[in-house]
């Protein structure tokens, strides 16, 4: 579905998202470095987690940073575990999977996570504000909340084209290719209902985060955006 909504560009967005976070950037490869403790929420298939671990390992020579992939859907987690078998991280302490609701992460200790990531998932949360408060709770002071999500196109011409593609073509493709018009219609509508960049920035601030700069980075004219928030040190 992400392929249809992004015309295949979502892979480039994910690569850029992880590079912008530069996971493991404080590590020096010595034994006394613990690495980052990362929670990837709604990340069942492992797309972001594998990228994070690859970046930390190959770019920053960090073999200690670890990622816990959290998802409410056990089938997605099963797919992630299956895909992880093709990586060097399977069966190691660097990669774990957790079935959990992002709005109630009671099994995750407060002030225990260095980086919280969520990519193309938060728009499906029932209570987005509650999930943001949970992210704030579990992050360490100085920890980072980072979200990649479909957003609001900032160019009138591009927006018109994208809306026609989204509401006209995608549900029809879902019906013809997957015999599932309803799921594809929901996808389009969930993106349309998601808060604007400015609105979502305000929600992140309401949860207690400091927001750097304007608070987001538009990708491909705002079809998607990266949002970040930092938990204050005190």
């Amino acid at each position: 579905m992400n392929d249809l909504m992004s015309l295949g560009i979502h892979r480039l967005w994910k690569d850029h998202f992880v590079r912008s976070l530069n996971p493991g950037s404080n590590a020096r490869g010595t034994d006394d470095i613990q690495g980052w403790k990362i929670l990837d929420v709604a990340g069942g298939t492992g797309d972001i987690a594998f990228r994070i671990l690859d970046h930390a390992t190959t770019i920053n020579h960090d073999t200690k940073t670890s990622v816990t992939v959290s998802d409410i859907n056990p089938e997605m987690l099963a797919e992630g575990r299956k895909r992880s078998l093709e990586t060097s991280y399977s069966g190691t302490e660097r990669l774990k999977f957790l079935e959990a609701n992002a709005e109630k992460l009671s099994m995750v200790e407060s002030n225990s996570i260095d980086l919280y990531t969520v990519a193309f998932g938060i728009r499906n949360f029932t209570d987005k504000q509650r999930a943001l408060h949970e992210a704030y709770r579990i992050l360490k002071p100085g920890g980072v909340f980072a979200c990649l999500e479909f957003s609001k196109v900032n160019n009138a011409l591009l927006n018109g084209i994208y809306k026609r593609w989204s509401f006209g073509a995608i549900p029809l493709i879902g019906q013809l290719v997957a015999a599932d018009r309803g799921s594809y219609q929901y996808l389009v509508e969930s993106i349309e209902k998601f808060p604007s960049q400015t609105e979502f920035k305000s929600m992140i601030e309401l949860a207690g985060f400091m927001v750097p700069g304007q608070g987001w980075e538009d990708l491909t004219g705002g079809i998607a955006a990266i949002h970040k928030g930092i938990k204050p040190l005190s």
Side-chain angles (χ1 to χ4, degrees):
M1 289 186 179
N2 284 341
D3 277 319
L4 287 174
M5 290 308 303
S6 70
L7 303 178
I9 304 174
H10 72 94
R11 294 177 181 83
L12 299 178
W13 293 341
K14 290 173 180 175
D15 289 341
H16 176 71
F17 179 56
V18 171
R19 284 196 302 270
S20 75
L21 299 170
N22 196 18
S25 59
N26 293 329
R28 294 292 181 269
T30 55
D31 290 339
D32 61 341
I33 297 296
Q34 294 183 350
W36 294 18
K37 188 175 181 181
I38 301 170
L39 182 68
D40 181 39
V41 177
T45 61
D47 269 2
I48 297 299
F50 303 152
R51 283 173 167 84
I52 286 173
L53 291 172
D54 285 345
H55 184 100
T57 303
T58 61
I59 302 300
N60 289 317
H61 310 293
D62 168 15
T63 59
K64 300 295 180 66
T65 282
S66 63
V67 182
T68 297
V69 179
S70 171
D71 205 295
I72 198 171
N73 188 331
E75 294 180 358
M76 296 294 281
L77 289 171
E79 178 64 21
R81 289 189 179 96
K82 179 180 177 181
R83 292 181 59 191
S84 74
L85 297 175
E86 301 176 4
T87 75
S88 61
Y89 313 116
S90 178
T92 73
E93 289 298 311
R94 299 190 67 194
L95 180 64
K96 297 178 181 179
F97 292 87
L98 173 68
E99 184 178 339
N101 185 334
E103 297 166 24
K104 190 176 182 181
L105 296 168
S106 56
M107 69 295 295
V108 182
E109 293 183 10
S110 299
N111 305 308
S112 66
I113 301 296
D114 294 293
L115 172 64
Y116 175 117
T117 58
V118 55
F120 301 117
I122 201 167
R123 73 178 184 277
N124 296 315
F125 294 177
T126 302
D127 190 337
K128 299 171 184 60
Q129 192 65 58
R130 183 175 180 181
L132 289 169
H133 281 287
E134 271 293 84
Y136 184 89
R137 178 185 67 79
I138 66 175
L139 280 165
K140 298 176 182 177
V144 174
F145 165 83
C147 174
L148 169 62
E149 187 54 87
F150 289 109
S151 199
K152 305 302 182 188
V153 178
N154 55 32
N155 176 279
L157 177 60
L158 177 59
N159 187 48
I161 295 171
Y162 189 66
K163 287 287 181 64
R164 284 194 293 273
W165 166 254
S166 298
F167 285 93
I170 288 179
L172 179 59
I173 291 172
Q175 180 178 339
L176 296 176
V177 175
D180 187 5
R181 185 185 184 96
S183 293
Y184 286 77
Q185 183 71 37
Y186 168 78
L187 171 67
V188 172
E189 292 176 355
S190 70
I191 293 171
E192 182 69 16
K193 293 176 182 177
F194 190 71
S196 69
Q197 289 90 323
T198 303
E199 292 168 337
F200 192 53
K201 171 192 174 183
S202 296
M203 292 174 67
I204 294 170
E205 291 176 324
L206 181 61
F209 290 102
M210 296 188 303
V211 174
Q214 74 167 358
W216 71 88
E217 177 189 358
D218 284 331
L219 304 176
T220 317
I223 293 177
I226 294 172
H227 286 263
K228 294 178 183 176
I230 302 170
K231 184 172 180 176
L233 292 174
S234 60

